Structures are given as C-alpha cells and as structure tokens.
Amino acid sequence: MVEKDCVFCKIVAGELPSEIVYEDDDILAFKDINPVAPVHILLIPKKHIPTITDIEEEDAALMGKLLLAAGKVADKMGIFDRGFRLVNNCREEGGQMVYHLHFHLLGGKQFGSVG
Ligand code: 5GP
Ligand code: ZN
C-alpha cells in the first residue's frame, strides 16, 4: 500500500533519495535528513501505516520485525552495547511531522531522563 503524497512511501519506492542503512522485505531504515544525535536513523515499515494508533492485529508480526530491525541497525551503527533511544512521535501533541509510522533510533551521545 503506497500513499502517493507520503514522503516515506516515496523513499520506499526509490522516488526520493535517502541514505539506506538497512532493508529487508518489510522494513527500511535510513538516515534522518536533519539529525539531532550523532546516530539518527529512521526505522519504518514499508507498509503505509500513518501512526502507531493505526496498527491493527494483522500488523503484530510486522511490528515485531520493526523492533528486531532496530537491534540490527543499532549493531550496524556501533551503538548496540552503548545503548540508544528509540522514539515514536504520535500525532499532533506527540510532535509527529510525517504521517508514516516511524521510530527514531538515536544514539552516540548520553541522554537524560525523559520528560
Ligand atoms: P517526526 O516528527 O514525524 O517524528 O519526524 C520526522 C522526521 O523525518 C524528522 O526528524 C525529519 O528530519 C525527517 N525527514 C523528513 N523528511 C525527510 C526526508 O525526505 N528524508 C529523510 N531522510 N528524513 C526526513
Ligand atoms: Zn507512507
């Protein structure tokens, strides 16, 4: 399912360039265009799901794959043992800008407590 005005669907389709760091049949991970940490990767399902609140039962395995990919990407980026932060911004008050479900994998620096 491709949403024609979705920037991340365009990246999945190869219509927009990106620096891909991991790809399999269901998941894509690429560098954030505006990094806020030394490592800042966006992890997305290739399937267009707008927000984390739009996940359905049939997406359960896909979400598991996304979390497994987070570990693989963290390993590839050299932050598996040091630790990292995995962030999802959901809807307006969550600060979501792109309405294609994604996790920010942030690392390479020390974070404080959330909030
Ligand atoms: P959100 O606020 O929706 O959680 O975060 C969206 C993220 O997508 C932002 O960190 C922004 O820098 C990133 N982003 C937006 N457009 C593009 C793009 O075309 N390419 C890449 N690589 N990142 C993008
Ligand atoms: Zn999309």
Side-chain angles (χ1 to χ4, degrees), residues 11 23 29 31 40 51-52 85:
I11 285 174
E23 180 169 19
K31 293 185 180 176
H40 188 168
T51 82
I52 204 164
R85 187 165 277 184

Side-chain angles (χ1 to χ4, degrees), residues 1 3 6-10 46-49 99-100:
M1 182 175 25
E3 194 75 14
C6 171
V7 66
F8 289 175
C9 280
K10 285 182 181 165
K46 289 184 173 178
K47 176 182 177 183
H48 181 84
I49 300 171
Y99 277 69
H100 180 131

Side-chain angles (χ1 to χ4, degrees), residues 59-96:
D59 300 316
L62 179 61
M63 292 303 104
K65 287 181 184 175
L66 194 57
L67 291 177
L68 281 168
K72 291 177 192 170
V73 173
D75 197 17
K76 195 165 182 177
M77 302 308 291
I79 56 171
F80 188 95
D81 290 322
R82 293 171 64 185
F84 51 86
R85 187 165 277 184
L86 197 58
V87 174
N88 172 253
N89 299 326
C90 183
R91 298 183 186 266
E92 191 172 351
E93 290 198 0
Q96 185 171 4

